Amino acid sequence: MLNEEQKEKLLQIARGSISGHFKGSKNDGISVNDPKLNEKMGAFVTLRIGGELRGCIGRMVGDQPLARTVADMAIEAAFSDPRFAPLTREELKAVKIEISVLSPMRKVSSADEIELGRHGVMVRKGFRTGVFLPQVAEETGWSKEEFLSNLCSHKAGLSPIAWKDGSAELHVFSAEVFEEE
């Protein structure tokens, strides 16, 4: 989907947005001339320090230009992930940024259609939703059953078998994942 120059530009936007936030910048001036970076696409920004998760927030649906989504999600991952204290200036030097640019989601009728490592999955039942990016399957080494059970119980607050008993919807998407060197 993206070439190396576009990936590098998005990584620069993410880091610049976080840096700018420390300086009081409001992130309003994000503009790029690349038509691909101006397409409406969903994206997640993941922050790691020493290989450990330090923040991860994203937007599933592309409702604004990709460059703007990345800028906004970088700030959210750094300062608003409820699992972590806000990032400090000192930590910024050690942070490694990863971006996942998402394809549109499609509903699947059964877990048989899910390919671990290729598909990210969103489970939904009523107002409860949970999402795992495609790389979660590889990082955890879970089987498909473990992956879906953890998604339901730990991310969506549902029964671990909600994916199996037909009470929840499953949606899949793919992601182009890249990170800083």
Side-chain angles (χ1 to χ4, degrees), residues 15 45-56 77 84 87 91-100 133 135-136 139 177-180:
R15 184 163 289 279
V45 174
T46 303
L47 308 178
R48 289 192 175 85
I49 295 179
E52 296 295 316
L53 183 65
R54 183 57 181 82
C56 180
F84 302 97
L87 193 74
E91 288 177 306
L92 181 57
K93 294 179 202 98
V95 161
K96 187 173 194 175
I97 298 173
E98 176 186 279
I99 298 173
S100 301
L133 296 171
Q135 55 268 41
V136 171
E139 292 168 358
V177 182
F178 51 95
E179 63 186 8
E180 293 175 319

Side-chain angles (χ1 to χ4, degrees), residues 96-116:
K96 187 173 194 175
I97 298 173
E98 176 186 279
I99 298 173
S100 301
V101 177
L102 309 182
S103 72
M105 282 192 293
R106 67 177 174 85
K107 187 176 177 182
V108 295
S109 55
S110 84
D112 294 337
E113 297 179 57
I114 297 169
E115 293 178 48
L116 285 186

Side-chain angles (χ1 to χ4, degrees), residues 14-58:
R15 184 163 289 279
S17 295
I18 296 169
S19 292
H21 188 82
F22 284 117
K23 298 172 188 160
S25 164
K26 292 291 182 216
N27 219 13
D28 295 331
I30 300 299
S31 71
V32 293
N33 293 326
D34 188 315
K36 187 71 172 176
L37 301 184
N38 282 311
E39 283 183 31
K40 292 182 177 182
M41 301 170 84
F44 273 71
V45 174
T46 303
L47 308 178
R48 289 192 175 85
I49 295 179
E52 296 295 316
L53 183 65
R54 183 57 181 82
C56 180
I57 299 221

Side-chain angles (χ1 to χ4, degrees), residues 4-177:
E4 291 306 311
E5 187 178 308
Q6 292 163 332
K7 292 175 185 178
E8 188 57 40
K9 181 65 176 171
L10 290 175
L11 289 165
Q12 289 170 0
I13 287 169
R15 184 163 289 279
S17 295
I18 296 169
S19 292
H21 188 82
F22 284 117
K23 298 172 188 160
S25 164
K26 292 291 182 216
N27 219 13
D28 295 331
I30 300 299
S31 71
V32 293
N33 293 326
D34 188 315
K36 187 71 172 176
L37 301 184
N38 282 311
E39 283 183 31
K40 292 182 177 182
M41 301 170 84
F44 273 71
V45 174
T46 303
L47 308 178
R48 289 192 175 85
I49 295 179
E52 296 295 316
L53 183 65
R54 183 57 181 82
C56 180
I57 299 221
R59 185 171 286 146
M60 296 300 300
V61 178
D63 58 358
Q64 61 183 3
L66 177 58
R68 166 104 253 149
T69 297
V70 166
D72 291 348
M73 295 306 98
I75 289 176
E76 292 296 314
F79 304 106
S80 300
D81 187 328
R83 300 170 291 181
F84 302 97
L87 193 74
T88 66
R89 278 183 201 266
E90 295 73 37
E91 288 177 306
L92 181 57
K93 294 179 202 98
V95 161
K96 187 173 194 175
I97 298 173
E98 176 186 279
I99 298 173
S100 301
V101 177
L102 309 182
S103 72
M105 282 192 293
R106 67 177 174 85
K107 187 176 177 182
V108 295
S109 55
S110 84
D112 294 337
E113 297 179 57
I114 297 169
E115 293 178 48
L116 285 186
R118 179 171 179 256
H119 289 138
V121 180
M122 181 182 78
V123 63
R124 174 181 287 151
K125 181 178 180 182
F127 293 108
R128 295 186 174 273
T129 62
V131 175
F132 276 150
L133 296 171
Q135 55 268 41
V136 171
E138 295 169 356
E139 292 168 358
T140 61
W142 288 331
S143 68
K144 189 183 292 187
E145 185 159 321
E146 290 170 316
F147 179 87
L148 293 170
S149 293
N150 277 289
L151 175 60
C152 288
S153 61
H154 294 120
K155 291 296 240 168
L158 299 170
S159 158
I161 61 165
W163 66 273
K164 205 187 293 191
D165 68 15
S167 67
E169 294 178 357
L170 295 173
H171 301 260
V172 297
F173 58 92
S174 60
E176 184 167 0
V177 182

